[in-house]
Amino acid sequence: MAALGIAAMTISSFAGSASAQALLEKIKNGETIRLGFTNEPPSAYPGANNEPLGLVNAMTLDVLKKMGTTKIEAIVTDWGSLVPGLQAGRFDIITGGMWINPERCRNVLFSEPIASSNDVIIVAKGNPENLHSFEDVRDKGLTLATLAGGTAIEAAQKIGIADDKIMQLAGPPEIVQAVKAGRAAAGNLYSLNATTVAENDPNIEVADPYTPPGPNEHPAIAFPLNEQAAVDAFNAVFKDYLGTDEMMASVSKYGYSKRDLPDGTTTAEACKG
């Protein structure tokens, strides 16, 4: 997931402020709360009737219910459109499990971390190129598929993978197809997403062992910049919910376990990089 270079137009920023400035009031008044996410199981994805499924949506729905609302609308978009969509007021909250980083912290407000996690790479069954790190992809001159707007882009560039060998795609399904079709030798995905893919596709596996390009990442729920009160209210409820039997019952079916709980890093620390 990645450093987003977002140049929001002034009019879009104003629209986002106007539409999202009263999130707590919307909850209090029983108005529909719009959740923005991409199709990225098991983190977040739409159900058959467009209901918000996935572990991040499950957490968010539980917390919002405790805050006083069950009126939810799911808005599915590609990964690179999530932050601009939030800024433009197309939805109220991003529930895609977006990782906290300094550049994103200049564009959105984050809840406290909902997990501590890292990425992996998926490869063709049997790992024919023997890939176990970004360095392996670099050294063999191969192509890495990753999310457009994802943090892996910057990590790959720092390691020295050439820009023309970094294939930026809209979402996990496109990454999987690129690897299956041989257009990319490896695809970068969040570990839980990759495990789900590998379990359901006999042509794909997760590279094992794997050395990630950096330390643990910290996904969180994202809010508009003018919604500090809503973030504070969300965090207050989430603090008492985190790690409870209720939470684990909601998320365990998506593969989230106690090992995925936050490692103690705060949002403020993650925003510093």
Side-chain angles (χ1 to χ4, degrees), residues 9-25:
M9 294 174 62
T10 302
I11 188 169
S12 297
S13 298
F14 177 80
S17 297
S19 65
Q21 64 184 347
L23 181 53
L24 289 181
E25 283 298 310

Side-chain angles (χ1 to χ4, degrees), residues 19-20 23 26 32-34 86 90-94 222-224:
S19 65
L23 181 53
K26 290 182 71 172
T32 299
I33 306 303
R34 301 161 301 162
L86 185 72
R90 290 193 288 273
F91 32 84
D92 301 298
I93 306 173
I94 295 174
F223 298 77

Side-chain angles (χ1 to χ4, degrees), residues 20-27 33 63-64 67 92-93 109-112 221-238:
Q21 64 184 347
L23 181 53
L24 289 181
E25 283 298 310
K26 290 182 71 172
I27 293 173
I33 306 303
V63 173
L64 288 176
M67 293 173 68
D92 301 298
I93 306 173
L109 295 177
F110 282 107
S111 70
E112 287 302 314
I221 312 300
F223 298 77
L225 285 173
N226 61 332
E227 284 292 348
Q228 187 63 57
V231 175
D232 292 343
F234 187 96
N235 282 337
V237 175
F238 187 71

Side-chain angles (χ1 to χ4, degrees), residues 32 39 60 69 80 98 100 102 118 120 126 129 137-138 151 157 167 173 184 209 217 236 243:
T32 299
N39 183 11
T60 305
T69 186
M98 186 168 282
I100 304 167
N118 218 312
V120 296
E129 297 289 351
V137 176
R138 175 200 65 198
T151 55
Q157 291 170 334
M167 182 183 293
E217 299 284 357

Side-chain angles (χ1 to χ4, degrees), residues 47-86:
N49 298 310
N50 206 44
E51 67 270 32
L53 301 179
L55 66 95
V56 184
N57 280 324
M59 292 182 194
T60 305
L61 294 175
D62 283 350
V63 173
L64 288 176
K65 183 177 181 180
K66 294 176 184 296
M67 293 173 68
T69 186
T70 58
K71 293 188 68 175
I72 301 296
E73 178 185 358
I75 300 178
V76 184
T77 186
D78 61 86
W79 184 263
S81 297
L82 286 173
V83 171
L86 185 72

Side-chain angles (χ1 to χ4, degrees), residues 110-173:
F110 282 107
S111 70
E112 287 302 314
I114 61 173
S116 178
S117 59
N118 218 312
D119 68 349
V120 296
I121 54 174
I122 58 168
V123 294
K125 195 69 175 180
N127 197 358
E129 297 289 351
N130 196 27
L131 302 176
H132 299 282
S133 66
F134 278 21
E135 287 86 352
D136 288 344
V137 176
R138 175 200 65 198
D139 294 346
K140 297 183 179 186
L142 300 172
T143 296
L144 174 73
T146 189
L147 288 169
T151 55
I153 297 170
E154 183 178 6
Q157 291 170 334
K158 286 182 177 179
I159 283 172
I161 298 177
D163 286 345
D164 64 354
K165 296 294 184 180
I166 302 173
M167 182 183 293
Q168 300 185 40
L169 299 171

